Amino acid sequence: MRIRFATAWCTATLAGLAVSWWGVQHAVGGTALGDAPVAAVPVRTGRPPAPSATHRAGAAKRETLSPSPRATASRSATPAAEPGKRRTYTVRSGRVVLELREHGARLVSASPEQGFRVREWRQDKWLRVELTDGEHGSAVIASWHDHPTLVQVYEY
């Protein structure tokens, strides 16, 4: 009798887990738990070009602090800017997820390592996301002025 009960309980529990996962798998897609493709780009060393004074004045700037530390690894390659495709850029100071279109990009999320903060600038033809501690960091810059969306990564 106990074996039948244990078998029924295990079957019901596994069925419940399967149904629950089936219901949430689309919600977690593209997050740290999802299967967003990791885009790797050629990484440049040295400080990236600073946004010009005219761009800084009108740029929307956002700064946040890291809620928790995350371990990441650097990768390199060139992504294809497919319409509406999410790409994950894993850099030394964190992780940036962008949604790339042929002529545009949108910041989906940025997860800085502990001690780093996120800074974002956005204009009509470019987007810049920095994960910085003030001295060192990483910059992911997407531009689409007179060309399809191009992403560059800088480590400094």
Side-chain angles (χ1 to χ4, degrees), residues 80 122 133 136:
R122 180 165 183 71
D133 65 358
H136 299 92

Side-chain angles (χ1 to χ4, degrees), residues 75-155:
R75 301 185 183 181
S76 298
T78 304
E82 299 173 22
K85 292 291 182 177
R86 287 185 179 182
R87 296 287 182 246
T88 302
Y89 299 90
T90 303
V91 291
R92 272 190 259 163
S93 52
R95 182 172 148 162
V96 175
V97 179
L98 299 177
E99 182 177 297
L100 302 175
R101 296 179 299 281
E102 185 175 350
H103 293 288
R106 179 180 72 87
L107 176 62
V108 175
S109 69
S111 304
E113 291 288 339
Q114 185 174 9
F116 289 82
R117 68 176 187 258
V118 177
R119 296 174 60 196
E120 176 191 10
W121 293 270
R122 180 165 183 71
Q123 291 291 316
D124 293 339
K125 301 292 181 179
W126 56 267
L127 168 68
R128 176 184 178 127
V129 180
E130 280 191 10
L131 306 174
T132 182
D133 65 358
E135 183 179 342
H136 299 92
S138 307
V140 178
I141 303 171
S143 64
W144 53 90
H145 181 68
D146 295 332
H147 55 77
T149 303
L150 172 68
V151 177
Q152 296 175 316
V153 174
Y154 292 87
E155 300 285 355

